[in-house]
Amino acid sequence: MTSENQNELVFLPLGGSNEVGMNLNAYGFGPEHDRKWIIVDVGVTFGDQSTPGVDVIVPDPSFLEGEEILGIVLTHAHEDHIGALGWLFERIKAPLYATPFTAFLIREKLRDHNLAEDVELNEIALGGTVNLDPFEVTYVTITHSIAEPNGLAIKTPLGTVLHTGDWKIDDEPIVGDKTDVAAITKLGDEGVLAMICDSTNVFVEGTAGSEGEVAKHLADLIAPLKGRVAVGCFASNVARMDSVIRAAEAAGRRVALAGRSMHRITAAAKSVGMLMDVEPFLSEEEAKIWPADKILYLCTGSQGEARAALSRVAEGTHPFIKLGQGDHCIFSSRVIPGNELPIARLQDKLADRGVKIYTEKGHPGIHVSGHPCRDELRQMYAWARPKIAVPTHGQRRHLIEHGQLAKEIGIEQVVTPRNGDMVRLAPGYAEIIDEVPAGRLFVDGGILVEEQGEALRERKHAASNGMLIVAFALDKRGRMVSDIDIRSVGLPGNEDRPLEEVLDDLAERVEDAVRGLKGDALADEIVIEQAVARTLKKSSQKVWGRRPIVETVVLRL
């Protein structure tokens, strides 16, 4: 045990330890009741079929509210690392620090939330250092699937922590510099107390592969194609965009960008000197009249997102881009787990139009991951030589497997925390010393709500069980003075028993239930509503095998 007055260095994942997305990591230094904190990344994850109507999910920062936060340091510009800034900044106010490309995109995000004038955003040069006493944070160049990815060397009086961010080892990254092996090796020589490290591809042997190899495969694939070509990829991957653009130009094609994110990322890339030596992009309107063999569309929507460019093309609703027989669509991206169904539907719709589909399954060279496989993890540990391994950024099974790999490599101490687990890194043996409130907040209708909020519970219940709305009038003495009107949402009828007939039967049961109430019960709206709900749920169970939401409107005359 350590004294409450002793300086400690702690690591606290509030998002990202058990999530592939939604990173929010905090480092604290000082005595327990007087700690100073820095935050690394404030990201989002996205809703799915289990969260109807919720597109964005953010980490719950409740524990850090009211704490002394010295700064928020951003490693790179992926949404799972910066996407929650607009939603959470008012709760964890502190200066922001980011390299130029990331800072450009953060400014746009803050403008979207009307925060641009309220936030101190500090632009840090690549390899630069931020002094946030007692922390000194130096940006370390790495490679990943976005421009300007960075690891962080966080120096403290009790030791140095290497926070890798998202990374891979790419000897031909297309844009940006290679991983700064010399800087990481020097940190190892000086002594790395702990490494907080990406776990996403820990189950994959070998290496992730190079963007340079992808560029060659894309060029070879695109060169002989006739007809229109569309390429779907992650807009944030500037290297991939660069490779597609150059492959198009080598094949005598001009490029048109399709999708808001493509334009946004292109502007950010050009602001830091990337994509400057390519031909001007055609507008979607110009591309519409361009010869089919001379045009390539670079599109958002490779994950089947409903409102993205590729989905609108597949639906035939895009105002300018039409693909059909003899045209081609290349998916230069992986399938993010959970997106299998929408991607399959998108590809089916394109195929129905006569479009030939190309994916990494049939053409494995057209995509590589941005995260380290097992050989790369071994290499990073060999460079940094940390005393403590703290796997992060992955699901629980990834973290456990990463911890086992670290032990096999010979790392002295391994801790695999869950979100909310406070890890003491120093002094003494690394261990989990506390558990703090942690969880997720949902952006529901533009409002931040608790993960298990009433609105979402009702919506999920209605989605699976349907809904009944009942209305009738009572006089002052509680006597029924109108017909009972029942309407349904999401509940079926059939030829043998039409829905109208079912609802008429339910109305009779409601009338019997209300007439069965006596005395004061007829004056109590809540008692009446409960009686109606019990009757309809019980009857619905017999009719449909479901217990729908029941909303009752009682009019008093």
Side-chain angles (χ1 to χ4, degrees):
M1 297 296 292
T2 59
S3 166
E4 290 186 358
N5 295 317
Q6 180 177 352
N7 282 335
E8 291 180 318
L9 173 61
V10 299
F11 168 66
L12 176 61
L14 290 173
S17 182
N18 301 342
E19 304 277 352
V20 173
M22 201 182 76
N23 288 269
L24 192 159
N25 304 283
Y27 293 86
F29 185 87
E32 178 179 350
H33 298 298
D34 190 28
R35 285 199 181 111
K36 297 180 179 180
W37 296 87
I38 60 170
I39 294 174
V40 173
D41 295 337
V42 186
V44 301
T45 189
F46 299 99
D48 55 28
Q49 292 178 340
S50 68
T51 58
V54 173
D55 293 327
V56 175
I57 301 172
V58 304
D60 187 345
S62 297
F63 174 77
L64 293 173
E65 291 182 89
E67 295 289 316
E68 185 176 359
I69 302 172
L70 304 175
I72 301 172
V73 187
L74 293 314
T75 59
H76 66 285
H78 274 143
E79 284 294 296
D80 58 337
H81 293 259
I82 67 169
L85 281 170
W87 296 107
L88 297 182
F89 181 79
E90 292 294 340
R91 299 178 63 172
I92 50 172
K93 289 183 177 180
L96 307 183
Y97 300 88
T99 53
F101 178 83
T102 303
F104 182 100
L105 294 172
I106 289 173
R107 287 189 191 95
E108 285 202 348
K109 195 166 294 296
L110 295 176
R111 276 195 290 269
D112 290 343
H113 288 264
N114 298 315
L115 288 170
E117 303 302 320
D118 303 326
V119 178
E120 179 188 337
L121 175 55
N122 299 279
E123 198 168 295
I124 308 301
L126 293 171
T129 296
V130 179
N131 192 343
L132 299 171
D133 187 39
F135 301 96
E136 183 183 271
V137 183
T138 298
Y139 280 81
V140 179
T141 296
I142 55 172
T143 49
H144 181 43
S145 55
I146 196 170
E148 294 186 4
N150 300 278
L152 302 174
I154 305 170
K155 295 185 178 181
T156 79
L158 293 180
T160 297
V161 176
L162 175 58
H163 186 112
T164 66
D166 291 356
W167 63 282
K168 62 188 277 188
I169 299 173
D170 191 339
D171 291 331
E172 198 177 355
I174 301 296
V175 299
D177 294 329
K178 299 179 183 179
T179 298
D180 193 344
V181 177
I184 299 171
T185 303
K186 182 180 178 184
L187 288 171
D189 292 341
E190 295 171 351
V192 172
L193 173 67
M195 185 163 73
I196 316 297
C197 187
D198 183 355
S199 308
T200 309
N201 277 346
V202 68
F203 288 105
V204 182
E205 292 290 348
T207 62
S210 172
E211 285 293 334
E213 288 299 315
V214 174
K216 296 171 187 173
H217 282 285
L218 285 170
D220 291 342
L221 177 59
I222 291 170
L225 298 180
K226 302 299 181 183
R228 296 175 183 83
V229 175
V231 178
C233 67
F234 297 115
S236 58
N237 193 337
V238 178
R240 193 68 51 82
M241 290 177 65
D242 185 281
S243 297
V244 172
I245 293 165
R246 296 185 193 283
E249 291 181 354
R253 294 177 181 267
R254 292 287 297 276
V255 175
L257 303 180
R260 181 173 176 266
S261 294
M262 285 293 174
H263 292 278
R264 181 170 55 86
I265 295 295
T266 299
K270 289 192 172 185
S271 76
V272 295
M274 301 174 186
L275 302 180
M276 299 299 288
D277 59 341
V278 299
E279 290 189 63
F281 300 117
L282 297 176
S283 70
E284 294 172 355
E285 295 93 328
E286 291 172 323
K288 183 177 180 180
I289 60 173
W290 212 257
D293 292 344
K294 300 297 182 181
I295 187 68
L296 182 144
Y297 297 102
L298 191 48
C299 302
T300 60
S302 64
Q303 298 303 301
E305 302 96 320
R307 295 182 294 275
L310 273 181
S311 288
R312 289 185 289 149
V313 172
E315 293 283 356
T317 59
H318 197 286
F320 304 111
I321 304 175
K322 308 297 178 185
L323 297 183
Q325 195 69 40
D327 295 333
H328 311 268
C329 186
I330 299 167
F331 285 78
S332 183
S333 60
R334 72 181 179 96
V335 177
I336 294 177
N339 290 344
E340 293 86 355
L341 186 57
I343 292 174
R345 287 173 176 165
L346 168 64
Q347 293 176 353
D348 282 347
K349 289 176 182 177
L350 287 167
D352 251 353
R353 294 181 175 276
V355 178
K356 186 172 181 179
I357 307 297
Y358 305 81
T359 71
E360 62 173 333
K361 287 186 177 180
H363 301 269
I366 63 175
H367 176 68
V368 291
S369 174
H371 298 273
C373 299
R374 292 177 77 89
D375 284 355
E376 290 157 290
L377 286 167
R378 293 186 183 99
Q379 182 62 75
M380 181 63 80
Y381 278 104
W383 289 332
R385 290 155 282 157
K387 293 180 180 178
I388 307 164
V390 185
T392 189
H393 198 46
Q395 296 169 340
R396 189 65 189 157
R397 61 191 179 92
H398 294 87
L399 273 59
I400 292 170
E401 179 67 19
H402 186 165
Q404 184 59 43
L405 177 64
K407 290 176 183 176
E408 293 171 3
I409 292 169
I411 303 303
E412 295 176 22
Q413 304 169 52
V414 176
V415 185
T416 54
R418 292 178 170 84
N419 289 333
D421 285 345
M422 186 181 294
V423 181
R424 184 182 62 225
L425 300 174
Y429 197 84
E431 60 181 337
I432 296 169
I433 59 171
D434 199 359
E435 181 180 356
V436 309
R440 309 192 302 173
L441 301 174
F442 292 165
V443 180
D444 191 355
I447 301 170
L448 275 183
V449 300
E450 298 293 329
E451 182 173 3
Q452 300 301 330
E454 182 68 20
L456 181 60
R457 283 203 303 272
E458 288 187 349
R459 194 155 62 243
K460 291 167 72 173
H461 187 94
S464 58
N465 292 278
M467 187 173 182
L468 291 171
I469 302 100
V470 187
F472 53 87
L474 301 177
D475 66 13
K476 294 180 180 179
R477 297 176 61 183
R479 293 178 300 191
M480 190 82 64
V481 292
S482 75
D483 292 334
I484 295 175
D485 183 19
I486 299 184
R487 302 186 183 187
S488 67
V489 177
L491 294 167
N494 58 38
E495 291 182 0
D496 294 332
R497 198 173 184 207
L499 182 59
E500 292 80 3
E501 182 180 318
V502 176
L503 296 180
D504 286 343
D505 288 347
L506 293 179
E508 290 180 11
R509 295 178 185 275
V510 170
E511 183 173 356
D512 291 341
V514 175
R515 292 187 187 282
L517 298 174
K518 304 297 182 183
D520 292 342
L522 288 168
D524 191 326
E525 305 291 335
I526 294 177
V527 172
I528 295 172
E529 290 173 7
Q530 290 173 342
V532 171
R534 281 195 303 270
T535 298
L536 288 179
K537 286 178 182 291
K538 185 176 180 180
S539 299
S540 297
Q541 184 69 42
K542 293 178 180 178
V543 175
W544 294 293
R546 297 175 180 172
R547 296 174 66 83
I549 289 177
V550 177
E551 288 294 325
T552 303
V553 179
V554 181
L555 301 175
R556 292 286 185 177
L557 300 180

